[in-house]
Amino acid sequence: MRLWGIADIHLSFKSNREEWGKLQSKGPDDGLILAGDVGETIETLNEAFRVAKLKFKHVFWVPGNHELYTSKSAKENEMHLRGEAKYMACIKAAKQHGVLTPEDDYMTWVYEDDEGYQVAAVICPIFTLYDYSFRPANVTREGALDWAMEEGIKATDETLLHSDPYETRDEWCHRLVSETETKLQKAAELGFPLVIINHWPLREDTIFIPRVPRFSLWCGTKKTEDWHLKYHAKVIVTGHLHVRRTDWIDGVRFEEVSLGYPRQWQEAKDEGHNVNTLLREILPGPPPPKKGQEPTTVWRGRGRGWSLSHGMEPPLIPSSPTARIGL
């Protein structure tokens, strides 16, 4: 049993939707992680789940910001859904396809390690949202949006992602974080390492988006910074940034597995890659490096992975011609 991951497939784009239709099975017992931003409507989710379940025995999904949007492109019976109600509608769609979500019990995954032994990990899909805390210490929460707008940055979330019934996204985030901590603690007590799946990065130091650095406001919460150690994680799987990379932090592997908008993975396509070759192997994955010999960040902006030091730039997110950023 191998476990694969991908995020930000954005099926509202015709070329991405066509590519998703080419998804192929990796093995009869393999699993697939969809780490958020599948699309904005329930109809899109249903199509993504249908294809994924045809090809993979187990499918895990966590919401991204795009799934939570109250979208004008949605069908009439969906356009009234806001905030938590939209999230629960997504959960209902996932259950209809047998897709596991943050609302389900965590699954224990048994697989063969690189030495041929049967080992186990607990697969933990979570949902944390963000609370605007990924910002400099001298920027207050009250001044955070103005700070981002100084460089023309404003997330589409501010218009389309509602927090109902919570007063703010911050409040919703903090409620989610508290509930998730309780669930992860129980999972960690089983004694197996965890694979934690979230759309938003758990650590601010894994965010590197040079052309839109102040978009960090919408990228997570500092409340999750130590979760990889606190809950004995083996792998952290995230998306959202559209900058594919692998990091080793404190002996834990962090995988950003985004596909991205069509223009952002065009170079990979030009090199002959497709959605199947861009799936990231999560388990078993590569053997852990020896302590003190962890590799530098592996940027995976092209189809093939290559290592660069942190002082060099990976492929960049194209600049937006407007102030509204829609990652």
Side-chain angles (χ1 to χ4, degrees):
M1 295 174 63
R2 290 185 293 176
L3 182 63
W4 305 85
I6 196 166
D8 299 77
I9 59 176
H10 290 288
L11 298 191
S12 57
F13 289 88
K14 182 175 182 289
S15 60
N16 277 22
R17 191 164 59 251
E18 291 173 348
E19 187 67 25
W20 189 245
K22 301 173 186 176
L23 185 70
Q24 294 296 319
S25 173
K26 293 285 189 175
D29 295 318
D30 282 6
L32 179 66
I33 291 166
L34 295 174
D37 276 9
V38 168
E40 294 78 15
T41 67
I42 302 300
E43 182 179 19
T44 301
L45 276 180
N46 281 325
E47 178 61 16
F49 294 155
R50 183 189 68 80
V51 172
K53 283 295 288 185
L54 280 174
K55 304 299 182 181
F56 288 85
K57 185 174 182 178
H58 305 284
V59 177
F60 305 87
W61 167 82
V62 296
N65 50 313
H66 281 249
E67 280 92 338
L68 302 176
Y69 284 176
T70 299
S71 174
K72 294 180 180 179
S73 63
K75 292 184 176 179
E76 186 174 350
N77 63 352
E78 184 185 330
M79 291 180 64
H80 69 286
L81 297 173
R82 294 165 62 98
E84 193 170 64
K86 177 63 184 295
Y87 169 59
M88 294 311 298
C90 294
I91 295 296
K92 182 179 179 180
K95 288 183 180 295
Q96 290 172 343
H97 292 272
V99 172
L100 296 176
T101 76
E103 302 303 311
D104 293 300
D105 293 336
Y106 295 153
M107 178 180 178
T108 301
W109 186 272
V110 179
Y111 64 100
E112 191 174 279
D113 68 11
D114 58 301
E115 296 181 351
Y117 293 103
Q118 293 289 308
V119 294
V122 181
I123 312 303
C124 305
I126 68 171
F127 169 34
T128 64
L129 205 58
Y130 52 84
D131 63 1
Y132 304 86
S133 59
F134 286 171
R135 63 181 192 269
N138 65 322
V139 176
T140 65
R141 171 63 185 91
E142 292 74 20
L145 293 180
D146 289 339
W147 170 74
M149 279 300 297
E150 286 175 3
E151 293 194 356
I153 305 301
K154 184 177 181 181
T156 304
D157 294 18
E158 295 300 312
T159 302
L160 299 182
L161 201 166
H162 304 286
S163 60
D164 308 35
Y166 305 96
E167 186 175 345
T168 64
R169 298 178 192 87
D170 310 52
E171 182 184 341
W172 190 8
C173 169
H174 296 164
R175 174 70 178 270
L176 291 167
V177 166
S178 178
E179 292 174 347
T180 301
E181 285 187 307
T182 299
K183 195 171 180 181
L184 287 176
Q185 182 59 45
K186 291 180 179 178
E189 290 171 359
L190 295 174
F192 299 121
L194 306 188
V195 175
I196 300 176
I197 306 161
N198 195 38
H199 178 66
W200 292 271
L202 298 193
R203 292 177 58 91
E204 189 174 11
D205 59 3
T206 61
I207 298 170
F208 188 61
I209 41 178
R211 291 187 179 174
V212 285
R214 298 191 185 190
F215 186 79
S216 62
L217 286 183
W218 296 274
C219 289
T221 169
K222 291 183 178 179
K223 291 179 178 292
T224 62
E225 182 177 8
D226 66 346
W227 282 13
H228 64 299
L229 294 177
K230 185 176 181 179
Y231 300 117
H232 311 294
K234 179 179 179 64
V235 191
I236 305 295
V237 183
T238 60
H240 192 52
L241 303 180
H242 297 194
V243 180
R244 297 185 292 277
R245 61 188 283 179
T246 301
D247 292 277
W248 290 90
I249 301 173
D250 301 319
V252 178
R253 179 162 44 100
F254 285 68
E255 297 281 12
E256 207 282 4
V257 298
S258 298
L259 181 66
Y261 300 133
R263 69 181 185 274
Q264 293 170 329
W265 67 283
Q266 184 61 50
E267 187 175 0
K269 185 180 291 187
D270 291 343
E271 293 176 352
H273 292 277
N274 56 53
V275 69
N276 297 295
T277 60
L278 294 179
L279 295 180
R280 190 81 51 81
E281 184 180 309
I282 306 302
L283 293 177
K290 293 181 179 179
K291 189 173 182 179
Q293 298 181 15
E294 293 86 352
T296 56
T297 296
V298 178
W299 302 104
R300 300 178 182 272
R302 298 189 177 103
R304 60 182 185 272
W306 76 101
S307 295
L308 294 174
S309 70
H310 282 279
M312 298 176 68
E313 291 192 352
L316 302 182
I317 298 171
S319 298
S320 173
T322 68
R324 200 166 297 280
I325 306 297
L327 290 184

